[in-house]
């Protein structure tokens, strides 16, 4: 297997934690809320899911519990910023620190243990195509997250609930005036984002690298937030961005496997460096950000 | 549409003006509530609450030996938080102090690692200066990205912290590894002249505490009394008004990040030239992140930050104690830090707003 085949085969799985968390954050931001706690929500979901799978609860229960825990923790965030009009940046950071703390606390006695990942499902025929065949051998969660991506795209493009969320994010005063429950929509969006972050964490700790280690989320939650900016708040571009980051995070492994003489720390830096560079390139085009950006992002709504 | 009808709804009503008493009471009340909630958590975890209270809240202040350790931890927290608060007030959210701290430590370590035999009283001051430069340089990357490329400073500064951690790893596993260090990822021990002077005989409290104190006074004068500080605050509160008045946003971003980076870098250099005496992997125990909480808990006010940094330092020492005597995982400190900030943000809401019970029926649409 050459490097390109290796990267293509693993890209979608590596992209899945980024994708799930970023799609959740997309919904949150479209509703006008900036939740910076994604890293902590993912870590919390990751440890809950790991503990359940480790004790034989199975992956379905693990994902449900991780999603619920992510939701619950993000509802604390929602309660503080929506109920008390607190600063969203500070509150998000606090939730992030709390989530990481809770994950380290609960995960203390599971440090460096491993569980069994899920089997991969192969699409017959397609997976035998040379070079790109690896794309069609994936675990069930990868396939499901592709479905979720399409569903979220369709919701924002065609469904009324998508329009309501956008209205609430663009102009909460107007949305309120025509009778939409701004606060309730924002609560729901934040809860959804928390659930997705919980799923993302669960995928990272029980399927992608089925082990628990403190700090294993390693900035993926932050990259997911950056992905929403990269994708200029558009579902399709966020998917492409997640694939790019999936590929970049595999590049380190591929380079080491081919015996390239580069310090491993430089390869470990790659996702962060790419984030910084891409963020600069995308943000420099202010029109692009304005075009699809959320007008009232991060601003509290006061009646 | 049928909607549930409530007799009365709790509503937050903005106060005409926040009372000073409420402003001052919010942090201690938040601290008390946090302590109670976390103790509840420890009881659920099956720990003896009395032992935890003693280890976390009393032991740090019980003897001069342990209180001097609190002061030792106060130094870096105070330095970083004062630097960050200036930016936060101008709405420049530099959350990458952790990376700027690491770069400060790396820059400062260059002198004793490259010239291990050098002697003279110039060495430690030069290291601190170099640390400030290192931290400011690292922060200037974020400033450049924000000002020239319009990139979000929260994300860029944080990503740079991850990069800084890898850079430290690289140096300690490669070129800067102590050849006689049994393969441990750490540098050589620094020579005597590369160590900052100790303030109190028999403790590890060093000059960085005085520097932090000076920075606090300077920050107070800068933010409360100087025109430059005033301009920064106006820019944070009302960016439009500030730009009409000719205050440039880019200038505020550069200033905030360079001050924050230099302060964090100074803290990093004082750590390697102080209690550690060498460059190690674990030079920071999350100071850069904890300082964000310290800055908010101090109400972004230079005097408030002095108090909150002592509280946070005591929490670190208390957490260490509880790990030993009450068998509490050190991660409990992070949970405490996160919940403390959350509860403080709620408490602050009650300073700005008061709770009113309004009959739902006569709520006028506004």
């Amino acid at each position: 297997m050459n490097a390109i085949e290796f990267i293509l085969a693993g890209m979608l799985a590596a992209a899945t934690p980024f994708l799930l968390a970023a799609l959740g954050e997309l919904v949150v931001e479209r509703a006008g809320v900036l939740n910076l706690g994604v890293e902590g929500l993912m870590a919390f979901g990751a440890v809950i899911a790991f503990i359940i799978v480790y004790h034989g609860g199975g992956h379905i229960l693990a994902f449900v519990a991780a999603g619920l825990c992510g939701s619950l923790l993000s509802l604390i965030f929602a309660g503080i910023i929506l109920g008390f009009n607190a600063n969203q940046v500070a509150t998000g950071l606090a939730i992030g620190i709390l989530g990481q703390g809770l994950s380290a606390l609960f995960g203390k006695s599971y440090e460096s243990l491993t569980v069994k990942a899920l089997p991969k499902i192969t699409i017959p025929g397609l997976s035998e195509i040379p070079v790109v065949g690896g794309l069609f051998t994936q675990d069930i969660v990868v396939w499901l997250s592709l479905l979720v991506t399409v569903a979220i795209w369709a919701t924002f493009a065609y469904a009324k609930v998508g329009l309501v969320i956008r209205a609430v994010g663009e102009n909460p005063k107007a949305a309120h005036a025509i009778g939409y429950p701004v606060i309730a929509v924002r609560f729901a969006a934040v809860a959804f984002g928390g659930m997705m972050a919980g799923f993302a964490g669960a995928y990272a700790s029980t399927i992608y690298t089925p082990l628990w280690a403190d700090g294993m989320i390693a900035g993926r939650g932050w990259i997911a937030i950056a992905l929403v900016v990269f994708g200029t708040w558009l579902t399709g571009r966020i998917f492409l961005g997640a694939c790019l980051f999936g590929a970049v995070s595999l590049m380190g492994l591929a380079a080491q496997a081919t015996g390239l003489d580069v310090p491993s720390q430089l390869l470990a830096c790659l996702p962060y460096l790419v984030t910084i560079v891409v963020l600069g390139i995308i943000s420099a085009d202010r029109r692009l950000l304005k075009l699809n950006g959320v007008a009232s992002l991060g601003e509290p709504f006061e009646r | 549409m049928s909607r549930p009808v409530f007799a009365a709804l709790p509503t937050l009503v903005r106060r005409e003006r926040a009372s000073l008493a409420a402003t001052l009471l919010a942090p201690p009340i938040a601290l008390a509530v946090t302590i109670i909630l976390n103790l509840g958590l420890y009881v659920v975890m099956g720990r003896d609450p009395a032992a935890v209270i003693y280890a976390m809240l009393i032991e740090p202040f019980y003897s001069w030996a342990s209180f001097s350790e609190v002061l030792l931890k106060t130094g870096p927290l105070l330095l970083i938080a004062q630097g960050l608060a200036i930016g936060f007030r101008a709405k420049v959210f530099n959350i990458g102090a952790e990376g700027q701290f690491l770069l400060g430590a790396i820059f400062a370590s260059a002198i004793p690692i490259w010239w291990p035999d050098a002697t003279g009283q110039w060495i430690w001051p030069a290291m601190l200066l170099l640390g400030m430069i290192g931290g400011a340089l690292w922060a200037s990357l974020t400033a450049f990205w924000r000002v020239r490329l319009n990139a979000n400073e929260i994300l860029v500064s944080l990503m740079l912290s991850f990069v800084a951690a890898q850079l430290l790893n690289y140096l300690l596993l490669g070129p800067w590894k102590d050849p006689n260090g049994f393969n441990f990822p750490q540098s050589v021990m620094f020579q005597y002249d590369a160590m900052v002077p100790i303030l109190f005989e028999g403790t590890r409290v060093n000059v960085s505490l005085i520097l932090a104190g000076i920075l606090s006074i300077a920050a107070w004068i800068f933010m409360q009394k100087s025109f430059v500080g005033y301009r920064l605050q106006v820019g944070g509160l009302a960016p439009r008004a500030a730009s009409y008045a000719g205050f440039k946003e880019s200038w505020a971003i550069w200033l905030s990040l360079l001050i924050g980076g230099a302060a964090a870098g100074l803290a990093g250099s004082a750590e390697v030239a102080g209690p550690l005496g060498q460059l190690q992997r674990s030079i920071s125990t999350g100071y850069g992140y904890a300082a964000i909480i310290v800055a908010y808990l101090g109400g972004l006010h230079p005097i408030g930050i002095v108090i909150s940094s002592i509280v946070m330092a005591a929490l670190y020492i208390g957490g260490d104690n509880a790990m030993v005597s009450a068998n509490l995982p050190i991660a409990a400190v992070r949970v405490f830090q996160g919940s403390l900030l959350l509860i403080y943000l709620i408490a602050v809401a009650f300073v700005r707003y008061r709770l009113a019970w309004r009959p739902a029926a006569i709520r006028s649409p506004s």
Side-chain angles (χ1 to χ4, degrees):
Chain A
M1 206 194 275
N2 65 31
I4 292 173
E5 275 183 76
F6 172 82
I7 287 174
L8 277 180
M11 183 180 72
L12 280 177
T16 297
F18 296 118
L19 179 63
L20 290 173
L23 287 175
E25 182 69 8
L26 169 70
V27 174
V28 176
E29 292 194 12
R30 277 276 173 120
V33 177
L34 180 67
N35 183 358
L36 293 178
V38 181
E39 179 84 4
L41 298 172
M42 276 180 77
F44 192 44
V47 78
I48 295 292
F50 183 86
I51 291 172
I52 289 176
V53 174
Y54 186 78
H55 288 294
H59 278 86
I60 294 177
L61 183 65
F63 270 73
V64 170
L68 272 177
C69 287
S71 268
L72 279 177
L73 196 55
S74 66
L75 279 174
I76 297 177
F77 166 77
I80 294 173
I81 61 137
L82 298 172
F84 299 102
N85 286 336
N87 179 333
Q88 294 187 11
V89 172
T91 314
L93 290 174
I95 283 289
I97 295 168
L98 179 64
Q100 286 178 14
L102 286 173
S103 74
L105 199 59
F106 290 167
K108 186 81 181 70
S109 42
Y110 298 88
E111 196 70 32
S112 319
L113 295 176
T114 56
V115 293
K116 222 165 157 269
L118 285 180
K120 303 217 176 229
I121 298 170
T122 302
I123 295 186
L126 289 175
S127 54
E128 278 132 48
I129 305 171
V131 185
V132 294
L135 277 175
F136 301 98
T137 304
Q138 304 291 348
D139 57 75
I140 181 85
V141 181
V142 171
W143 296 124
L144 287 175
S145 22
L146 295 181
L147 277 181
V148 172
T149 311
V150 175
I152 286 179
W153 168 77
T155 303
F156 279 121
Y158 300 113
K160 189 181 172 198
V161 59
L163 289 178
V164 172
I165 292 173
R166 289 172 64 174
V168 163
E170 285 299 316
N171 193 337
K173 285 228 164 94
H176 175 68
I178 51 176
Y180 293 130
V182 173
I183 299 292
V185 168
R186 288 190 168 175
F187 257 107
V190 170
F192 179 80
M195 181 186 74
M196 293 291 277
F199 288 162
Y203 187 81
S205 72
T206 66
I207 300 175
Y208 187 63
T209 42
L211 66 86
W212 172 254
D214 187 19
M216 68 172 293
I217 299 303
R220 285 199 190 97
W222 288 101
I223 294 177
I225 297 172
L227 268 175
V228 180
V229 182
F230 296 167
T232 59
W233 294 270
L234 297 175
T235 318
R237 289 189 192 164
I238 289 173
F239 171 74
L240 292 178
C243 288
L244 168 74
F245 274 86
V248 168
S249 57
L250 286 173
M251 234 131 74
L253 293 174
Q256 270 177 332
T258 51
L260 214 62
D261 189 26
V262 181
S264 68
Q265 290 84 15
L266 180 63
L267 299 172
C269 278
L270 223 49
Y272 314 120
L273 289 173
V274 171
T275 307
I276 294 167
V277 171
V278 180
L279 205 57
I281 294 171
I282 302 265
S283 306
D285 188 347
R286 283 164 203 253
R287 278 176 318 154
L288 196 65
L289 289 192
K290 275 248 173 74
L291 200 61
N292 300 302
V294 181
S296 74
L297 185 60
E299 284 169 22
F301 165 65
E302 289 184 64
R303 267 177 291 232
Chain B
M1 273 213 288
S2 69
R3 280 223 188 128
V5 179
F6 301 103
L9 283 171
T11 340
L12 291 175
V13 182
R14 196 180 272 276
R15 291 180 200 267
E16 296 283 309
R17 54 185 308 170
S19 79
L20 182 67
T23 313
L24 292 178
L25 273 176
I29 289 176
L31 184 64
V33 173
T34 311
I35 290 171
I36 292 167
L37 279 181
N38 277 273
L39 277 177
L41 178 68
Y42 306 148
V43 172
V44 172
M45 287 166 62
R47 301 297 190 277
D48 175 14
V52 178
I53 289 179
Y54 181 77
M56 285 187 88
L57 302 178
I58 298 173
E59 226 177 317
F61 302 98
Y62 197 71
S63 66
W64 170 236
S66 59
F67 186 65
S68 74
E69 288 293 299
V70 173
L71 289 179
L72 179 71
K73 288 242 189 266
T74 303
L77 286 171
L78 186 52
L79 277 171
I80 304 170
Q82 293 288 16
L84 291 184
I86 290 171
F88 290 171
R89 285 208 145 189
K91 295 262 157 67
V92 178
F93 296 106
N94 169 17
I95 63 167
E98 187 80 0
Q100 293 143 20
F101 177 97
L102 295 184
L103 260 288
I106 290 171
F107 267 57
S109 301
I111 296 178
I113 287 173
W114 283 336
W115 296 285
D117 303 319
T119 53
Q121 275 302 303
W122 58 274
I123 296 182
W124 67 262
M127 286 169 69
L128 296 188
L129 185 68
L130 213 53
M132 286 174 72
I133 294 171
L137 277 177
W138 202 243
S140 71
L141 290 172
T142 304
F144 182 84
W145 244 250
R146 168 73 199 270
V147 169
R148 299 303 295 271
L149 302 174
N150 185 37
N152 182 308
E153 80 276 13
I154 297 175
L155 294 170
V156 174
S157 63
L158 191 88
M159 291 295 143
L160 283 170
S161 292
F162 286 110
V163 175
Q166 293 296 337
L167 180 64
L168 179 68
N169 271 346
Y170 168 73
L171 289 171
L172 291 179
L173 292 167
W176 283 11
K177 188 167 74 177
D178 179 6
N180 305 317
F182 303 102
N183 241 353
F184 280 112
Q186 55 196 32
S187 77
V188 291
M189 288 301 291
F190 297 166
Q191 67 267 40
Y192 181 76
D193 283 346
M195 307 297 287
V196 288
I198 297 287
L199 284 187
F200 308 111
E201 202 59 45
T203 70
R204 302 197 292 164
V205 183
N206 60 52
V207 162
S208 85
L209 189 64
I210 290 187
L211 294 174
I214 294 171
L215 181 72
S216 300
I217 296 167
W220 183 75
I221 295 170
F222 179 70
M223 291 311 283
Q224 313 295 330
K225 306 284 173 203
S226 79
F227 185 59
V228 176
Y230 169 73
R231 277 164 57 150
L232 270 180
Q233 291 198 41
V234 171
L237 290 172
R240 282 255 176 80
S243 70
Y244 292 145
F247 302 165
K248 270 179 112 177
E249 197 197 6
S250 61
W251 183 84
I253 294 165
W254 273 108
L255 195 65
S256 301
L257 276 157
L258 288 180
I259 294 174
L266 178 61
S269 55
E271 206 62 11
V272 288
L276 297 177
Q278 67 181 159
L279 193 62
Q280 300 173 352
R281 223 180 211 178
S282 54
I283 46 179
S284 166
T285 41
Y287 286 134
Y289 303 113
I292 298 171
I293 299 174
V294 169
Y296 276 110
L297 210 61
L300 302 185
H301 190 285
I303 299 169
I305 292 169
V306 172
I307 300 166
S308 62
S309 61
I310 296 174
V311 169
M312 190 62 81
L315 180 63
Y316 267 113
I317 301 298
D320 275 344
N321 294 340
M323 188 171 67
V324 180
S325 56
N327 189 26
L328 202 67
I330 199 67
V333 171
R334 269 196 278 171
V335 174
F336 195 100
Q337 289 174 342
S339 50
L340 177 58
L341 180 52
L342 284 177
I343 291 163
Y344 170 72
L345 290 165
I346 297 174
V348 163
F350 285 104
V351 176
R352 285 187 295 136
Y353 301 90
R354 63 190 167 79
L355 207 59
W357 294 87
R358 279 193 199 170
I362 58 159
R363 268 169 75 204
S364 59
S366 54

